[in-house]
C-alpha cells in the first residue's frame, strides 16, 4: 500500500513539510511517483513511527546540544559545497556541511561531548571532536576539528554508516543514529536535557 506525503505525515503526526524533508534528504526507500505526487510505502511510514527515542540518559552529561538541519542545499562557500544533510553526500562533504557556521554557545556544545544532527526529529548524523571552535564576523561558530562518527543512509531499516575512528565515537554513533530526538529552538541549535527529573 502506498501513501501520499500528506497521508504519511498525518500517520506520523507531523507537518507535511517536515515529512518532505526526509524525502528530499533521500532517507526513505521504495519511493515512487504518480504524476507529481511522491508515494511512500506504508511499511516505511510504520517503521518511522516505531523508531525508538534516543536513550539520552546513557550519556554522562546533563545536557547536550542538538543540531537541527534541513535537507542538503548547494552553497558557494570557500570551505564547503553543501549545507544540511543528504544520504547521498560523501562523508567529507557531509562533515563540511554540518560542522558550522551556527549561532550557538560553542562552550556548551563542547561540554556535551557529542552533537547529534537531527532532520525532522530523527538523528541522521553524529558529530564529535567539538573541543575547538572558530567564530566569524557574523558571530557564528564552526568546529574545525569535528569528526563525523556516523550517519544514516536509510531511516526505515535503519541503515547506518559508521565512520568513527575510536571506540567512544563508535558507541555514540551506534547509540544515537536512527533514533527519534525531539528538540525545540528558534534556530539551528537546541539544547536538550539528558536526564529528566524523577
Amino acid at each position: 500500500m502506498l501513501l501520499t506525503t500528506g497521508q504519511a505525515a498525518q500517520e506520523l503526526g507531523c507537518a507535511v513539510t517536515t515529512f518532505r524533508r526526509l524525502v528530499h534528504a533521500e532517507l526513505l526507500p521504495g519511493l515512487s511517483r504518480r504524476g507529481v505526487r511522491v508515494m511512500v510505502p506504508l511499511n516505511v511510514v510504520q517503521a518511522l513511527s516505531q523508531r525508538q527515542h534516543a536513550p539520552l540518559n546513557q550519556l554522562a552529561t546533563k545536557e547536550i546540544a542538538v543540531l537541527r538541519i534541513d535537507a542538503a542545499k548547494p552553497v558557494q562557500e570557500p570551505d564547503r559545497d553543501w549545507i544540511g544533510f543528504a544520504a547521498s553526500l560523501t562523508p567529507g562533504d557531509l562533515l563540511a556541511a554540518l560542522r558550522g557556521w551556527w549561532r550557538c554557545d560553542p562552550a556548551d556544545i563542547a561540554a556535551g561531548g557529542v552533537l547529534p544532527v537531527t532532520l525532522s526529529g530523527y538523528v541522521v548524523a553524529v558529530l564529535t571532536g567539538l573541543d575547538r571552535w572558530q567564530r566569524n564576523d557574523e558571530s557564528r561558530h564552526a568546529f574545525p576539528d569535528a569528526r563525523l562518527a556516523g550517519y544514516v543512509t536509510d531511516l526505515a531499516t535503519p541503515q547506518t554508516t559508521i565512520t568513527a575512528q575510536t571506540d567512544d565515537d563508535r558507541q555514540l554513533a551506534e547509540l544515537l543514529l536512527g533514533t527519534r530526538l525531539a528538540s525545540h529552538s528558534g534556530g539551528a541549535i537546541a539544547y536538550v536535557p539528558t536526564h529528566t527529573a524523577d
Side-chain angles (χ1 to χ4, degrees):
M1 182 176 172
L2 298 174
L3 305 180
T4 65
T5 53
Q7 290 168 330
Q10 195 170 12
E11 285 285 321
L12 292 171
C14 67
V16 68
T17 51
T18 301
F19 184 79
R20 283 185 183 143
R21 287 189 191 110
L22 300 174
V23 173
H24 297 314
E26 305 166 73
L27 282 163
L28 306 180
L31 301 182
S32 57
R33 291 192 177 272
R34 278 197 195 141
V36 296
R37 286 185 168 182
V38 173
M39 306 302 292
V40 188
L42 176 61
N43 66 316
V44 168
V45 177
Q46 289 170 334
L48 293 180
S49 72
Q50 292 163 10
R51 287 273 77 79
Q52 298 297 311
H53 290 277
L56 299 182
N57 60 345
Q58 293 186 36
L59 301 175
T61 54
K62 291 181 180 176
E63 182 182 76
I64 58 166
V66 175
L67 173 58
R68 301 148 43 90
I69 46 92
D70 205 339
K73 294 179 175 65
V75 291
Q76 292 184 327
E77 295 180 13
D79 58 345
R80 60 183 174 182
D81 297 320
W82 301 89
I83 183 170
F85 181 92
S88 58
L89 291 182
T90 66
D93 279 342
L94 204 49
L95 178 58
L98 299 176
R99 69 179 168 206
W101 295 87
W102 314 111
R103 291 191 191 282
C104 62
D105 183 329
D108 284 351
I109 291 178
V114 62
L115 184 61
V117 179
T118 63
L119 184 78
S120 299
Y122 296 91
V123 180
V124 295
V126 171
L127 297 181
T128 57
L130 308 161
D131 294 331
R132 188 169 73 89
W133 55 84
Q134 299 169 321
R135 182 179 169 193
N136 69 9
D137 296 339
E138 299 172 3
S139 297
R140 293 173 182 265
H141 293 84
F143 297 85
D145 302 333
R147 301 183 300 270
L148 180 66
Y151 60 99
V152 176
T153 54
D154 170 348
L155 195 53
T157 313
Q159 287 181 11
T160 59
T161 298
I162 304 295
T163 49
Q165 301 294 311
T166 68
D167 286 343
D168 286 349
D169 283 6
R170 172 180 287 275
Q171 287 171 5
L172 287 168
E174 290 174 346
L175 182 71
L176 297 171
L177 286 174
T179 61
R180 297 168 97 165
L181 178 48
S183 59
H184 305 283
S185 170
I189 300 288
Y191 298 93
V192 177
T194 57
H195 299 76
T196 53
D198 293 332

